[in-house]
Amino acid sequence: MHPNDPLYRVLYIDLTKKIYWIEDRRELFENYLGGAGVAINLLKEECPRGADPLRPENPIVFAVGPFTGLYPIASKTVAMFKSPLTGNLGESHAGGRSAIAIRMAGYGAIVIKGASKHPVYVAVHGDKVFFRDARALWGIKSSITVARIIREKEPGAGQRAIMRIGRAGENLVKYACVVTETYRHFGRLGLGAVFGSKKLKAFVVSGKRSLPVLDKRRYREIYKELFDTMVKSPLMKKYHDLGTAANVIPLNKIGALPTKNLKESKFENADKISGEYLAEKYLGRRLACAHCPVACIHLAALREPYETEPYFYKTTFISYDYELIYSLGSMLGIRNAEDMLKVLDEVEVLGLDGISSGVVLAWATEAYEKGIINENDTLGLRFKWGDYETYIKALRYIVEQPNEFYKALANGVDYAASKYGGEKFALAFGKNEMPGYHTGYLGYFGFLVGSRHSHLDMGGYSIDQKALGKEYNLDELVVKALREEEWRQILSSLVVCFFARGIYKPEIVAKALEPLGWNLTPEDLGKIGAKIHRLKYEFKFREGFDLDSLRLPHRIFETPTPHGYLDEYKFKEMIEKFKLLIQKQI
Ligand code: SF4
């Protein structure tokens, strides 16, 4: 690492005492690069064993890495915390301006400890930290309005990130998200609820530092090489043109698009909520995270007439991507784009995780259909596939939690099913609601044993698709998936957006680190990745995660995948194999 790189500085903020300080943690960054590698170490240091995720003892760690601000698509921030949803490792990545802002403020990581007695928001401007009274912001209906107010008040326009929660976070919904720059999210595993438990309404960061490099000429050459590869890559063009929404039609075609709570894996109306359709009829803007030439973020412009004013229209910009189209579209049987966009907008306004929200509503719809719950539970709502108005009302109830049923839904689908029944079709893995890939064994295996129960941990859904029509050697694929997750720890530590994972291969990463003052071979990187993965698993086990008591929802065996019907016995074998591999590491 360059001796003058401010990456090694860690900012600690104590919300209880309203104090802050900066520590030199060079050794952590030298051994673990940054991002996820540093964050898991800080989480282990700060989070006591068995901590209640919604008590002050649960810290929030934000971390960036050596590539942040220096190479393209190194645009993400890693957030780490103990998850209120799963009870173990909480990790979520988001872009927007968050990563660049933290780096330019002069930090590699920020640790937020304790809890405030009354609502605050924290503003970090370079070396100064301000604790601002947020009582007037608490309870505002829309997370978007909160950001508008803060934008007026705080300096640093154009360089600052405003991370904030909506009503879902305030009310401790266990899958509440943190929204940053309006259209990006620390979506999964309930960071919003952890913010809410600390009475932390928003976290603002800005800074203007410049970053040193050791060999400027070489740095420029490698930057150009990476940039050119990215802008010429057909995959990046796909993400730019249609975004991840481009995946709707291909996944539907192979029968991997979960539909109506996965009672089906093909949706007859997929073309009406597809990336192509949305781009043709609704696309209003494309956006990029800071320092990214791809701009995969797609915003629909929804134009609605005012009832009493002819020729006047309200235009709302709503971000969409594949995961949201799956969870709040096909999963709920919503047949047209406009209805789906209205549900997406409500999720954004309330500050909920889109994937979890959709899976919870899909379970509630099937539970209602089967008579497991009734109108006494739902406060009169009649859940029905495709009924977007009922879904919007239900989302508001989940956030306000007016009765036991909605309180249960606010705890996630695993909890709701354990209370009301319907476990067989409650689609959570490791207590996290499933992402939109009914692709085969490796996809589900990744949801089950991936360190954050995300499709992004080991990319099993992609391994499944590549294995179509080929021999499916599950033993070999388990090892391959684990190695993939270990390598992704390096990408998460640099911190690179996973969309560029095909470009940031081990050799190019080692080469790109050199002019920044790092001397690591691809083999060294492999070892660091494995070490980080091991630390994450140690944390999970420490907090009670148990590979022997994982729940596999029966529904995944009832609906055919592109690889046919899945066999439960084979999953058990895969988990046994994985256990042996993990035991060797820990
Ligand atoms: S590819 Fe998309 S998500 Fe990734 S950094 Fe670029 S704009 Fe952000």
Side-chain angles (χ1 to χ4, degrees), residues 266-473:
K266 282 192 179 182
F267 186 37
E268 74 271 19
N269 285 77
D271 58 330
K272 291 286 183 288
I273 54 169
S274 67
E276 289 81 349
Y277 188 84
L278 284 161
E280 276 168 23
K281 306 281 183 199
Y282 294 95
L283 183 61
R285 281 174 79 187
R286 290 187 183 87
L287 294 179
C289 298
H291 219 144
C292 172
V294 177
C296 79
I297 306 161
H298 285 59
L299 304 186
L302 184 63
R303 205 160 161 256
E304 295 168 279
Y306 285 101
E307 271 173 27
T308 51
E309 291 278 353
Y311 310 116
F312 280 84
Y313 299 89
K314 177 185 161 202
T315 304
T316 312
F317 284 92
I318 302 162
S319 81
Y320 62 86
D321 62 18
Y322 172 72
E323 292 300 341
L324 296 173
I325 293 172
Y326 136 71
S327 58
L328 300 166
S330 65
M331 201 58 169
L332 300 179
I334 294 184
R335 304 159 75 90
N336 81 67
E338 190 156 328
D339 294 354
M340 179 186 74
L341 288 170
K342 287 177 184 164
V343 182
L344 261 64
D345 188 46
E346 192 63 27
V347 163
E348 178 88 26
V349 161
L350 294 169
L352 287 159
D353 174 47
I355 298 179
S356 289
S357 300
V359 173
V360 165
L361 292 176
W363 172 85
T365 310
E366 191 168 345
Y368 183 80
E369 250 182 7
K370 291 191 155 68
I372 292 173
I373 53 167
N374 58 39
E375 280 173 56
N376 289 333
D377 301 307
T378 65
L379 299 178
L381 295 187
R382 296 175 185 178
F383 285 95
K384 198 166 71 193
W385 303 115
D387 179 357
Y388 78 96
E389 284 170 321
T390 295
Y391 289 133
I392 288 175
K393 285 180 196 154
L395 287 167
R396 291 175 187 158
Y397 277 149
I398 288 172
V399 169
E400 298 308 327
Q401 299 164 48
N403 69 0
E404 286 307 312
F405 174 65
Y406 288 105
K407 269 192 194 119
L409 292 190
N411 276 281
V413 79
D414 199 80
Y415 178 85
S418 72
K419 216 163 168 229
Y420 288 86
E423 282 100 336
K424 286 188 172 175
F425 55 88
L427 291 161
F429 295 81
K431 298 190 183 164
N432 191 22
E433 286 75 19
M434 76 172 266
Y437 303 93
H438 187 56
T439 50
Y441 287 100
L442 267 294
Y444 286 115
F445 176 70
F447 307 163
L448 266 181
V449 304
S451 54
R452 50 190 170 133
H453 306 285
S454 156
H455 60 297
L456 294 169
D457 284 324
M458 43 181 70
Y461 64 101
S462 163
I463 301 177
D464 280 335
Q465 289 172 73
K466 285 181 187 142
L468 273 175
K470 296 184 193 144
E471 207 176 319
Y472 210 18
N473 183 330

Side-chain angles (χ1 to χ4, degrees), residues 547-559:
L547 286 164
D548 287 325
S549 53
L550 286 170
R551 186 179 71 81
L552 268 165
H554 198 255
R555 172 58 46 82
I556 68 169
F557 304 112
E558 295 171 342
T559 304

